[in-house]
Amino acid sequence: MNRYNQQQQRPCHKTTTTIVIIVILLSVLLSCYSHCQFSREDLTTNTQQTNNTSTTPTTTPTSTSTTGTTSTTSTTTDSNKRVINVRGEGKVSVKQTNADISISIESKKETATLAQQDVSQKATSIVQLLKTNNQYITKLETTSISLYPIYKPLPVNTNETLTIIGYQATTSLSFRVIIIEQIGKILDQLVQLGVGSISGLNLIANDTEINRAKREALRLATLDALDKAKVVLLATFEFKGINIEGMNINDKMEVLEMNVESSYAYTYPYRYRYNYATAAGGGAAPSAEASPTVPVVAGEDSISSSVTLKVKARD
């Protein structure tokens, strides 16, 4: 009987143990589920707080360009940061009244001493002439002095040594003529005194007129840039449907930055040319008949300036 009871009790004990294990597993699962739910609620709360605190709008820059003009417009979505970049140009013409002249006196002789003495005598006479006419000649200065040997020409493919047959001395001067009507007369006198080369004659306006023209060109460039900015702003307001009648457009714009560029354009230099007969040992000075006064016709110099403005558009 006792053996039968023991056999009946063993299955019951196993069943109880199984139930206990199941209960423990269920408790663990419930605990894990509760923890997961709590984590999801925290994550949702943090996300909502982040969305509520980040309210700063982002701005996307846009740029537009107007074809056919030199102005460029760039804006952002924030109306307080709309900026217009415009470029204006101004140009003024100035009559040429002065001439910058460069001349050279040359002499070819058998010895270096003779060549240097001859060119010195000619240069002294020329300087005296220019100083005598100081009422319309300024900025007189010596620009270069040179002396070098002259070699006998050698045939092609020869082994002969170079032989000195003479020397050439050169003195160069530069000066400015401030009365343009006197240029032809001065050049004729210089050639008769032994000037062998007139390297160039640059016709220009005088310094006072150039400075005045630069200021005027800068003023015109600034007005041109401002006018372009006004045109762009008025077109923008019309596009938005804003009534521009009676509007003072100057109150709708503010200059934030200005860049200035200036340039001075010379005309092509006038080159004085003459012919003279050559003689042994160098060129002979031309006679008055062979060298008539050359007429010099002045033109105009072009002074130009450009200005770039960065303009802020106001509502």
Side-chain angles (χ1 to χ4, degrees), residues 83-104:
V83 173
I84 304 171
N85 295 316
V86 289
R87 185 173 185 270
E89 295 180 350
K91 184 178 293 185
V92 178
S93 296
V94 185
K95 185 178 180 180
Q96 297 167 338
T97 56
N98 294 355
D100 286 337
I101 302 174
S102 299
I103 62 174
S104 296

Side-chain angles (χ1 to χ4, degrees), residues 274-288:
Y274 59 92
N275 297 320
Y276 57 88
T278 58
S287 63

Side-chain angles (χ1 to χ4, degrees), residues 95-96 180 183 201 203 267-268 270 294-300:
K95 185 178 180 180
Q96 297 167 338
I180 203 167
I183 294 176
L201 188 155
L203 299 176
T267 57
Y268 290 104
Y270 176 90
V294 175
V296 177
V297 181
E300 292 183 338

